[in-house]
Amino acid sequence: MKLRRLLASAIFILTFLYIFPLFMSEPIFLHTFFTLFIFAAIAQAFNLIAGYAGYLSLGHTVYYGLGMYVAAIVLKSMVQMDVYSSLMLAYLAGGIAAAIFGLVTSVPLFRLRGATFALGTLGIAEFMRVLFQQYWMGMGGSSGLFLHVSSPNKVIFYSIALTLMLISVLTAFFIRKSRFGLALLSIREDEDAAEVLGIKTLNEKLKAVAISAFITGVCGSVMASYTLYVAPEIAFSLLISLQMQFMPIIGGLGTIFGPIIGAMILVVTDEIFTTITKGAIYYGLGTLLYASTMLLIMRFLPEGLWGAYSSRRRRAFLRASKKFKLDARHDRACP
Amino acid sequence: MSQLELDLIVQAIVCGLLLSGVYLLIALSKSLVYSVIHMINVAIGWFMMLGGYIAYFLYQWGVDPLISTPLLIIPSFFWIGLIFYICIIKPSIGKAFLPQIVMTFNVALIIEALATLFWTADYRVVSPPYTRKSLDLFGIKLPILYIIIFIVGITTIISLHLFLTRTYMGCAIRCVAQNREGARIVGIKVEKVEMIATSISTTLAGMSGALLAMLTALTPNIGAAWTVLAITITIIGGLGNIYGAIPASLILAVMHTTLPFIIPAALSHGIGVLLMIIILLIRPSGIFGLKARLM
């Protein structure tokens, strides 16, 4: 019953979102929604490894940046192909490159846990940033790489990003409901106990990293084909990496709706504050308000908006079940 | 190898050794806060940036950084550290690791926004006349600025050592770093100790920022790079190990001054980061494998 209601509302919202550009094709709306969808997809992918498996990676931007660069190279070398097939190829290549990179670097890094794992991933991202600042293989160095290729209009990108977000949400949903997801959750709760129970923890973690890196890499390549400019500073920066983590954390880590809500809050507040403070004149005022808002949210709702909401609901359910002598153990975690 | 190249390399090594003073300050700042409250303070690079900007602001009013640092920057950063502890760190102690990072990062963003508002995004340099002079010692040029940096670094670590071993508060800091609950049982006011440790850490960050402002150009977004530098030195020396910071800062500073002979300068920072990853993987307790502790 509950699932059916969820499904109906999801289909309604999706249909609305897909036909949205038909009656609202202002570039600013399309751009904001495009950013929102891409960020939501990234947040969802990041949530797989940080929220479910409990491994915070401070260098998740490395997959995003790698996707960007690989897509840029593919797009540059495939100019003679038609637009859509070269785009598809670029996205696939970006995703696969990121996934392979994630697997290769994660095998040694997964020997670390907690803070040291976070710092190790940060180191890898920083190393990649420095590496791509050098002038090699026609990468453009630190001044970046401009892509002079034809690209579709904003409406097409809007639907690409929406589809990407849909795919990543569905992936997260099915993983959450599967045995694999349960294995990841058990790794988050207690890795040694999970290992004892017979879960091949390294394998499960590597699977999660591969999926997460693939989605993030595809997001990066979509972004590269949208902005038609890649640079080490926008691809591998610590700032981007930290901002990626905001969304699932603000929304609620380890939940399915959390990252989407987080991305929504993040992108919309950023746009609003940049607009009302006239970003170009008082540069920095927008960032100030935005960071203060995030700080207040984190200060008073440390488990995120959706996390706080769902845990309150769960607590209410537990109280009610105590009242009616129901067995609280059958309580399912909210999605 | 010609005589000229040999001279240059010796010169670079000497400069690296002297430069390690400021790296030491950064590493001490990071280590102290990590060992006491077990929290990775991402905002540290931005605090350094703020210190640099305050030095720049005072320099514009004609106050030399060497006078303004002990008289104004150190006390003001002590208070900034107190406020930072009360508003940000205290509520997030004992919470998950992720919200802590996000909290400190938001502070970083706020500092960056304020710096952009007040001083715009232009490059700023603090250049008193003596930064361009140097002493001549057996054919090796010793820039006066580097000597000052070295002296400041050495003085700081000696006084920090004396503070940690000879005073009540220092012993309390070490005690909390070893065992928080035990310290509370013994009757140490843990919150106060943590507050003092955070303040000292912030003060060190401000000092190192004021020194770095004379060395390199300042922009509001340099904080990220300095945070990464701080993390690199700290991990090479061992997380939370104050004395491991000495060899780590020496190694890293010499690497950063000598490696640009062989490879592009930017890549030498990358090599440092790579060294950090390797050390994290094979020897998580730091380069000399000392047990991570304050003493």
Side-chain angles (χ1 to χ4, degrees), chain A residues 301-321:
Chain A
L301 294 171
E303 43 186 1
L305 290 173
W306 184 262
Y309 168 68
S310 65
S311 72
R312 214 166 92 194
R313 234 173 44 170
R314 200 174 309 155
R315 245 179 281 139
F317 177 80
L318 283 177
R319 237 181 287 133
S321 60

Side-chain angles (χ1 to χ4, degrees), chain A residues 50 56 58 108-109 111-112 114-116 118-120 122-124 126-127 129-131 133-134 238-239 242-243 245-246 249 253 282-285 287-288 290-292 294-295 298-299 302, chain B residues 34 40 42 46 87-88 91 95 97-99 101-103 105-107 109-110 112-114 116-117 224-225 227-228 231 235 239 264 266-267 269-271 273-274 276-277 280-282 284:
Chain A
L56 167 69
L58 271 179
L109 278 178
R111 291 169 52 191
L112 309 169
T116 43
L119 296 179
L122 169 70
I124 285 187
E126 196 60 21
F127 181 71
R129 185 177 73 85
V130 173
L131 204 63
Q133 274 180 352
Q134 309 305 315
L238 172 67
L239 270 163
L242 287 165
Q243 233 149 22
Q245 291 157 22
F246 268 25
I249 295 167
L253 208 64
Y282 302 109
Y283 180 75
L285 204 58
T287 321
L288 187 67
Y290 162 85
S292 317
M294 295 299 138
L295 201 60
M298 272 335 284
R299 170 73 180 79
Chain B
Y34 183 81
I40 293 173
V42 188
W46 281 269
C87 299
I88 308 298
K95 290 222 181 83
F97 168 61
L98 257 166
I101 285 197
V102 174
M103 294 277 269
F105 178 59
N106 271 312
V107 176
L109 274 186
I110 289 176
E112 181 170 336
L114 286 176
T116 320
L117 266 178
T227 299
V228 172
I231 290 174
I235 287 182
L239 257 180
L267 210 54
H269 282 268
I271 300 288
V273 174
L274 209 59
M276 171 189 106
I277 297 171
L280 210 51
L281 285 175
I282 59 174

Side-chain angles (χ1 to χ4, degrees), chain A residues 4-231:
Chain A
R4 196 180 293 169
R5 215 172 58 198
L6 200 72
L7 205 66
S9 50
I11 287 173
F12 175 73
I13 292 171
L14 274 176
T15 328
F16 174 72
L17 282 176
Y18 269 112
I19 61 168
F20 179 76
L22 289 182
F23 51 88
M24 192 74 107
S25 57
E26 294 280 318
I28 176 71
F29 282 112
L30 290 181
H31 172 77
T32 311
F33 273 97
F34 171 82
T35 331
L36 201 162
F37 294 149
I38 289 283
F39 277 176
I42 293 175
Q44 205 62 259
F46 176 74
N47 194 19
L48 271 183
I49 188 74
Y52 295 166
Y55 271 81
L56 167 69
S57 105
L58 271 179
H60 218 69
T61 175
V62 73
Y63 309 129
Y64 177 76
L66 215 66
M68 269 186 136
Y69 266 96
V70 170
I73 294 163
V74 171
L75 284 178
K76 254 185 117 162
S77 51
M78 297 287 168
V79 183
Q80 70 280 10
M81 267 165 87
D82 82 306
V83 179
Y84 292 103
S85 42
S86 73
L87 278 184
M88 282 311 289
L89 198 66
Y91 297 164
L92 261 182
I96 290 169
I100 291 172
F101 185 80
L103 282 178
V104 170
T105 54
S106 293
V107 171
L109 278 178
F110 271 134
R111 291 169 52 191
L112 309 169
R113 286 185 192 179
T116 43
F117 176 79
L119 296 179
T121 47
L122 169 70
I124 285 187
E126 196 60 21
F127 181 71
M128 290 299 280
R129 185 177 73 85
V130 173
L131 204 63
F132 275 90
Q133 274 180 352
Q134 309 305 315
Y135 288 91
W136 52 283
M137 283 172 27
M139 267 342 175
S142 53
S143 55
L145 197 62
F146 285 96
L147 299 172
H148 300 288
V149 292
S150 56
S151 73
N153 62 359
K154 275 200 164 67
V155 178
I156 303 286
F157 272 118
Y158 173 90
S159 7
I160 290 175
L162 182 54
T163 317
L164 197 59
M165 183 185 81
L166 186 65
I167 291 170
S168 85
V169 170
L170 284 179
T171 316
F173 183 75
F174 285 118
I175 286 178
R176 182 76 166 76
K177 296 289 165 201
S178 71
R179 196 186 153 77
F180 171 46
L182 287 177
L184 289 181
L185 286 183
S186 71
I187 289 173
R188 179 183 70 185
E189 295 305 328
D190 191 334
E191 187 161 351
D192 299 318
E195 184 90 50
V196 169
L197 282 176
I199 295 167
K200 291 195 174 63
T201 48
L202 184 64
N203 281 7
E204 306 285 336
K205 284 185 288 186
L206 285 180
K207 257 193 271 175
V209 161
I211 296 170
S212 172
F214 182 81
I215 295 174
T216 318
V218 173
C219 290
S221 34
V222 173
M223 206 61 179
S225 67
Y226 178 71
T227 55
L228 295 179
Y229 171 65
V230 289

